[in-house]
């Protein structure tokens, strides 16, 4: 049996759904090549109705590049160096209040690893335990976001850079339009935050990224982890706010998880976010980290944020 490729949604300019893909199919080099093309051209793929398990998640991920161990060792999966585990569980999650919606596992709009010099090229995510409520993963395309920018803004951001740093939610000014209050921080996350002054210096990435394979321009802003525009300092606050709102208000794909899907994205191009899971519910996700380096990140000197 063959697999089926469909647009992710008739309303969106990005994304594919692939149904019925199995380990048998990916033995064929032509199929692997086709999958790499979709990844670069469409930004993300939702895999459904096929083989959905850890072994296939790993094999599929390796089609797009070698896997790397995540630099935040606290979220690595014990005994499985190629997987991270992201958990929201009663009593030990980071709990936030977002405009009155209280829950665990929340993440604002971001690119993975933008707070280090080498931004991984992608990842494949799978739900081990989906939550009944919340825990919706959103995706936004930054090529589309760039194309929708007014010409004067396109000109204004050319050549500018953004400084990023790992920092707690209360030091994040751009990741959402909502007001986020920290209720409690998971001990595991606190351990990672405690290492910021030694292990996570600020880094700079350009505001515009040109996709090497296609020459298309992408707005290269991760609102979560963005501290300030390198060339403008605090004077760039309004510009950064305008750009973040432009992105956040644009078209998005929202995924409600079951155990029958895996999602691949191009992390150089797509942003993602997660809505909170109710505090009495468990949600467990596992993700691979596909290595890569677009060569545009630059590590800076301490100090910047780190509260
Ligand atoms: O938990 C999710 O849905 C996504 C978490 C995330 O940001 C990631 O896997 O990179
Ligand atoms: Fe992420």
């Amino acid at each position: 049996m063959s697999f089926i490729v469909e647009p992710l949604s008739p309303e969106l300019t990005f994304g594919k759904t692939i149904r019925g893909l199995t380990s048998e199919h990916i033995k064929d080099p032509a199929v692997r090549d086709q999958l790499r093309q979709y990844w670069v051209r469409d930004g993300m793929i939702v895999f459904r109705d096929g083989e959905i398990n850890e072994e296939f998640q790993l094999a599929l991920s390796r089609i797009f590049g070698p896997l790397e161990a995540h630099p935040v060792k606290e979220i690595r999966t014990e005994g499985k160096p190629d997987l991270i585990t992201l958990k929201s569980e009663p009593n030990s999650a980071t709990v936030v209040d977002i405009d009155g919606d209280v829950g665990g596992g929340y993440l604002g709009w971001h690119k993975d690893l933008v707070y280090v010099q080498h931004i991984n090229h992608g990842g494949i995510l799978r739900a081990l335990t989906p939550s009944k409520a919340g825990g919706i993963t959103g995706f936004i395309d930054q090529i589309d976001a760039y194309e929708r920018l007014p010409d004067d803004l396109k000109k204004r951001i050319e050549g500018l850079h953004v400084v990023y740093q790992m920092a707690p939610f209360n030091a994040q000014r751009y990741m959402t339009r909502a007001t986020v209050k920290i209720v409690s921080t998971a001990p595991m996350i606190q351990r990672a935050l405690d290492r910021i002054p030694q292990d996570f210096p600020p880094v700079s990435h350009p505001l515009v990224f040109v996709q090497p394979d296609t020459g298309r321009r992408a707005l290269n802003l991760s609102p979560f982890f963005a501290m300030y525009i390198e060339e403008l300092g605090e004077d760039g606050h309004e510009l950064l706010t305008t750009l973040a709102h432009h992105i956040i208000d644009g078209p998005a794909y929202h995924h409600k998880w079951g155990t029958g899907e895996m999602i691949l994205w191009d992390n150089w191009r797509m942003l993602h976010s997660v809505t909170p899971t109710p505090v009495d519910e468990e949600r467990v996700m596992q993700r691979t980290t596909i290595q890569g380096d677009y060569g545009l990140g630059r590590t800076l000197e301490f100090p910047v944020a780190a509260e």
Side-chain angles (χ1 to χ4, degrees), residues 4-293:
I4 298 164
V5 183
E6 299 163 346
L8 182 58
S9 153
E11 275 103 55
L12 296 171
T13 55
F14 61 90
K16 285 270 189 281
T17 300
I18 296 190
R19 297 180 189 276
L21 191 78
T22 65
S23 39
E24 216 30 56
H25 294 125
I26 65 166
K27 287 181 185 160
D28 180 352
V31 169
R32 295 202 295 271
D33 205 46
Q34 190 186 358
L35 293 171
R36 282 190 287 262
Q37 295 274 333
Y38 291 137
W39 181 48
V40 168
R41 304 214 166 259
D42 298 291
M44 65 178 289
I45 304 174
V46 178
F47 296 95
R48 296 180 180 278
D49 309 330
E51 227 172 281
I52 307 288
N53 57 52
E54 182 181 304
E55 209 185 325
F56 192 50
Q57 181 182 10
L58 291 166
L60 197 55
S61 298
R62 289 191 180 104
I63 292 176
F64 306 95
L67 305 186
E68 65 171 280
H70 201 281
V72 181
K73 60 176 192 277
E74 286 79 4
I75 60 174
R76 286 182 202 158
T77 307
E78 219 185 306
K80 296 175 183 174
D82 291 334
L83 287 168
I84 57 166
T85 302
L86 301 162
K87 258 190 204 174
S88 177
E89 46 189 1
N91 305 321
S92 67
T94 291
V95 176
V96 294
D97 176 327
I98 305 172
D99 284 346
D101 185 9
V102 176
Y106 165 79
L107 291 172
W109 288 102
H110 69 282
K111 263 183 206 303
D112 295 322
L113 298 196
V114 71
Y115 47 84
V116 293
Q117 188 170 321
H118 305 286
I119 301 185
N120 61 300
H121 200 167
I124 296 187
L125 186 64
R126 182 168 74 95
L128 269 57
T129 311
S131 57
K132 285 192 275 303
I136 290 172
T137 311
F139 293 88
I140 287 178
D141 177 17
Q142 302 252 70
I143 289 180
D144 172 66
Y146 182 83
E147 282 167 7
R148 289 186 301 96
L149 276 178
D151 284 343
D152 60 326
L153 265 184
K154 283 184 184 161
K155 278 206 199 82
R156 219 169 133 205
I157 64 172
E158 200 64 40
L160 295 181
H161 297 76
V162 174
V163 175
Y164 296 93
Q165 193 170 28
M166 192 193 288
F169 286 141
N170 55 6
Q172 303 288 342
R173 296 187 289 170
Y174 307 104
M175 64 178 177
T176 170
R177 273 176 173 278
T179 304
V180 180
K181 291 186 208 124
I182 301 174
V183 177
S184 59
T185 302
M188 193 174 83
I189 298 301
Q190 190 56 54
R191 282 198 294 278
L193 294 172
D194 288 345
R195 294 196 294 114
I196 294 171
Q198 298 83 44
D199 296 343
F200 296 103
V203 299
S204 157
H205 292 278
L207 250 179
V208 179
F209 161 66
V210 181
Q211 207 180 31
D213 309 76
T214 67
R216 293 179 297 180
R217 295 171 111 67
L219 180 53
N220 193 35
L221 172 61
S222 171
F224 184 15
F225 305 114
M227 296 291 133
Y228 58 88
I229 295 179
E230 192 176 4
E231 292 80 1
L232 302 177
E234 200 46 37
D235 291 345
H237 175 59
E238 212 180 296
L239 176 57
L240 215 39
T241 306
T242 304
L243 293 171
H245 289 179
H246 168 82
I247 292 169
I248 293 167
D249 294 345
Y253 169 71
H254 300 282
H255 191 82
K256 171 97 186 91
W257 287 94
T259 50
E261 315 96 49
M262 299 197 285
I263 298 185
L264 162 76
W265 66 92
D266 177 348
N267 188 53
W268 292 351
R269 163 180 175 185
M270 304 296 295
L271 291 174
H272 57 286
S273 67
V274 192
T275 64
T277 297
V279 280
D280 56 351
E281 269 204 60
E282 188 184 40
R283 178 178 184 269
V284 184
M285 309 294 290
Q286 279 190 344
R287 204 202 72 206
T288 56
T289 303
I290 301 162
Q291 215 180 68
D293 179 18

